[in-house]
Amino acid sequence: MDGNKEAKIGRRGRAAVVVLGDIGRSPRMQYHALSLALQAGFEVDIVAYGGSDPHSAVLENQSIHIHKMTQWPTIPRSLPKILRPLMLLLKPLIQFLMLLWFLCVKIPAPDVFIVQNPPSVPTLVAVKWASWLRHAVFIIDWHNFGYTLLALSLGRSSLFVALYRWFEKHYGKMANGSLCVTRAMQHELQQNWGIKATVLYDQPPEFFRPASLEEKHELFCRIHSHLNQPYGSQDCISNGIIAVGSLDLNETLFTHRVSNDIILKQNRPALIVSSTSWTPDEDFSILLEAAVMYDRRVAAFLNEDDSTGDEFVWKEISDGKQFVYPRLLFIITGKGPEKEKYEEKIRKLHLKRVAFRTMWLSAEDYPLLLGSADLGVCLHTSSSGLDLPMKVVDMFGCGLPVCAVSYSCIEELVKVEKNGLLFSSSSELADELLMLFKGFPNECNALKSLRNGALEMGSSARWAIEWEENAKPLISRVVSGSSK
Ligand SMILES: *[C@@H]1O[C@H](CO)[C@@H](O)[C@H](O)[C@H]1NC(C)=O
Ligand SMILES: *[C@@H]1O[C@H](CO)[C@@H](O)[C@H](O)[C@H]1NC(C)=O
């Protein structure tokens, strides 16, 4: 080590981050790029597809250079069936050539390539070749297994799936280092693939944090007109909203500005956020059914004389005690193929106490929404049973408790009754909603205690620390091994 400055990693001082996907929708690879630049002093080249904008922290960092590849066009439906298999073979071939061109020619030679898996074909072989041609090392960041994702659409017994698995294992073993997202995956890689990987948990970066009252109010002003648009006719949200489109509102659905103070309204709806990529592996109908059940069960509590004097609050009297239930507003964020199908279903529900809105928020507004909500719902089930939903990590970063679908390794993340709850059916989710929002907003102790658990978890664990402790030592070891 020379001088008191931290030793530079690698002789070129460059790293390349490779994703065969939309960089704007690959947060973990964006965080890698930020950490490589800020914590390891690398110049970073990102090679990926465009589509959505990455976080402004990535765009504004002078040491991060984004190189966007042209996307392979979707196969037109009108294409004769006979030509389809040909296209399926042609696609990875073209992707492979495109990747090689970018990795070997377009970007300056790096010390290390860090590549996201999946997709494995043709990414792993392209990065392997590039690392050989450019005298660099390569590290695979295992987010999941590509072959299990493929098996979702083709079935476990498909020959393609077996081929894909062979490829993934063969090239996976050639990497000079490996990172993965759970202990369960680390174990699988070690036992069945002969790959020694370091666990790097997803952790929220700094911008996922609870929102201040001011930030909440401003966010609700920005999305005000959107909240005002119901699916189908009026619903319990659009009914109660003040119909002005101005950005300089003093009153939103949730907040009220009185001179310089902002207060949360007593009869505000409970705000529940779920983000989804609207793909077949997330069964969104669980959430819709739970919403219908909440609506019906609250209706069933009501007696003739238990009007609360507020058309948006409902009262249950049991054992001589009174409990109120709020309206629920579900905001569903995300883009994806099945969105319209579900929007059509939502339109037909006709609920009195529950409303849905779908939106796509900017990378800056999304953390604010999480930081302003009362509960997060996660419908992620893993194709391999070995990865964890990053959206839940983000929710905890914002101090948001979570109800998540239960599966094998989810408890590495969600600690039941500490920072969240698990469910396996829509009925269970409906029970949890009733239990958590009974007495909302002031007398819901179960929700408050989960919230404290989430806040605690969110404030102790951060991406930069996790990266410093687990990824940086691995990268520096692998890179320095190559310069000897
Ligand atoms: C908001 O309140 C301020 C005073 O507190 C008032 O001057 C302003 O006109 C109000 N804006 C709207 C849109 O009502
Ligand atoms: C990286 O892996 C390749 C293939 O396994 C190997 O040939 C090369 O020596 C490794 N480099 C380092 C620095 O370990």
Side-chain angles (χ1 to χ4, degrees):
M1 309 250 161
D2 41 313
N4 44 16
K5 246 187 108 191
E6 203 175 338
K8 198 176 88 176
I9 303 178
R11 57 204 153 89
R12 301 174 179 137
R14 285 200 94 91
V17 172
V18 186
V19 195
L20 195 68
D22 178 352
I23 183 63
R25 292 167 70 187
S26 311
R28 182 169 160 110
M29 300 316 276
Q30 293 181 45
Y31 307 157
H32 268 305
L34 280 170
S35 291
L36 286 163
L38 297 171
Q39 295 171 246
F42 279 115
E43 286 294 308
V44 182
D45 295 289
I46 298 179
V47 175
Y49 291 140
S52 323
D53 281 335
H55 197 275
S56 54
V58 174
L59 291 175
E60 285 158 15
N61 192 304
Q62 303 282 326
S63 297
I64 300 180
H65 317 277
I66 301 180
H67 307 264
K68 287 184 189 159
M69 296 181 287
T70 321
Q71 192 128 201
W72 170 262
T74 45
I75 301 173
R77 283 184 182 279
S78 58
L79 195 80
K81 259 217 156 94
I82 300 184
L83 290 178
R84 288 247 171 117
L86 187 71
M87 301 296 268
L88 284 178
L89 287 176
L90 212 55
K91 178 175 168 176
L93 189 66
I94 291 180
Q95 286 175 328
F96 174 71
L97 294 175
M98 174 90 76
L99 272 167
L100 267 194
W101 169 249
F102 271 78
L103 301 181
C104 296
V105 182
K106 293 273 275 197
I107 63 169
D111 296 297
V112 55
F113 289 99
I114 296 181
V115 55
Q116 169 183 323
N117 181 72
S120 332
V121 178
T123 340
L124 298 187
V125 56
V127 172
K128 166 70 200 157
W129 284 28
S131 72
W132 178 66
L133 287 167
R134 309 208 81 172
H135 307 285
V137 288
F138 85 107
I139 292 175
I140 300 179
D141 189 18
W142 295 84
H143 297 197
N144 200 345
F145 289 105
Y147 82 94
T148 60
L149 285 173
L150 191 66
L152 284 182
S153 51
L154 298 183
R156 288 243 161 200
S157 53
S158 156
L159 181 66
F160 268 113
V161 174
L163 263 174
Y164 203 103
R165 185 178 190 277
W166 177 86
F167 181 95
E168 191 167 11
K169 184 172 176 179
H170 182 73
Y171 283 94
K173 281 164 95 159
M174 289 187 186
N176 300 101
S178 303
L179 296 165
C180 68
V181 290
T182 59
R183 298 219 179 280
M185 187 178 286
Q186 180 187 45
H187 184 80
E188 168 74 12
L189 282 168
Q190 172 90 58
Q191 292 294 310
N192 297 330
W193 296 53
I195 295 171
K196 198 167 165 293
T198 304
V199 179
L200 175 72
Y201 279 119
D202 280 321
Q203 296 293 1
E206 297 306 321
F207 35 84
F208 283 93
R209 52 173 176 75
S212 68
L213 263 180
E214 185 79 30
E215 285 171 326
K216 289 183 189 180
H217 181 75
E218 282 165 11
L219 174 74
F220 293 137
C221 288
R222 277 198 294 283
I223 62 175
H224 187 82
S225 57
H226 211 113
L227 295 179
N228 210 355
Q229 286 161 11
Y231 289 106
S233 57
Q234 295 286 358
D235 60 25
C236 64
I237 297 299
S238 63
N239 259 335
I241 220 162
I242 326 94
V244 266
S246 147
L247 269 180
D248 188 26
L249 296 170
N250 288 329
E251 192 180 347
T252 70
L253 188 57
F254 301 87
T255 51
H256 207 142
R257 185 198 287 278
V258 187
S259 63
N260 279 331
D261 285 338
I262 291 169
I263 44 175
L264 285 168
K265 290 181 172 177
Q266 270 303 308
N267 71 349
R268 66 183 184 272
L271 177 56
I272 304 170
V273 181
S274 187
S275 75
T276 174
S277 44
W278 300 102
T279 45
D281 61 332
E282 287 197 347
D283 185 2
F284 201 73
S285 51
I286 295 185
L287 185 58
L288 295 191
E289 283 164 20
V292 172
M293 289 178 194
Y294 179 89
D295 200 58
R296 300 233 173 98
R297 290 186 199 173
V298 171
F301 293 143
L302 302 180
N303 300 312
E304 293 289 312
D305 61 341
D306 57 4
S307 136
T308 57
D310 186 319
E311 60 174 318
F312 297 125
V313 177
W314 297 276
K315 192 164 73 180
E316 174 198 13
I317 301 177
S318 73
D319 299 338
K321 288 189 192 146
Q322 295 185 7
F323 303 102
V324 294
Y325 290 92
R327 291 171 282 174
L328 304 184
L329 169 60
F330 286 90
I331 297 188
I332 317 296
T333 69
K335 285 179 186 166
E338 301 211 313
K339 185 167 176 225
E340 274 158 31
K341 177 180 123 189
Y342 280 110
E343 284 177 341
E344 196 48 47
K345 284 194 179 176
I346 292 171
R347 209 163 273 138
K348 291 182 183 144
L349 289 180
H350 302 296
L351 302 175
K352 281 212 176 76
R353 298 165 187 86
V354 183
F356 284 88
R357 298 291 182 271
T358 57
M359 24 184 116
W360 172 252
L361 293 166
S362 69
E364 287 72 38
D365 273 351
Y366 178 62
L368 290 175
L369 179 68
L370 296 186
S372 305
D374 299 296
L375 181 73
V377 172
C378 172
L379 299 166
H380 174 90
T381 52
S382 167
S383 64
S384 60
L386 300 172
D387 71 326
L388 290 170
M390 198 164 184
K391 54 194 156 200
V392 171
V393 172
D394 296 338
M395 287 169 179
F396 288 152
C398 294
L400 187 61
V402 171
C403 290
V405 172
S406 175
Y407 67 90
S408 57
C409 70
I410 188 78
E411 291 189 44
E412 279 190 50
L413 181 60
V414 178
K415 313 288 178 214
V416 176
E417 293 189 359
K418 296 231 157 50
N419 55 20
L421 299 172
L422 301 177
F423 59 89
S424 310
S425 66
S426 43
S427 176
E428 263 181 275
L429 175 58
D431 287 340
E432 292 172 1
L433 294 175
L434 283 165
M435 190 271 288
L436 292 173
F437 290 114
K438 186 178 194 165
F440 186 84
N442 299 327
E443 282 142 42
C444 41
N445 293 328
L447 183 67
K448 280 179 195 162
S449 117
L450 291 187
R451 180 162 202 97
N452 289 337
L455 278 168
E456 219 169 87
M457 173 132 181
S459 59
S460 60
R462 286 289 152 181
W463 170 267
I465 303 169
E466 178 80 12
W467 197 87
E468 193 74 27
E469 286 174 0
N470 296 298
K472 193 173 169 186
L474 173 80
I475 294 168
S476 111
R477 193 171 66 240
V478 169
V479 169
S480 61
S482 71
S483 56
K484 273 177 198 154

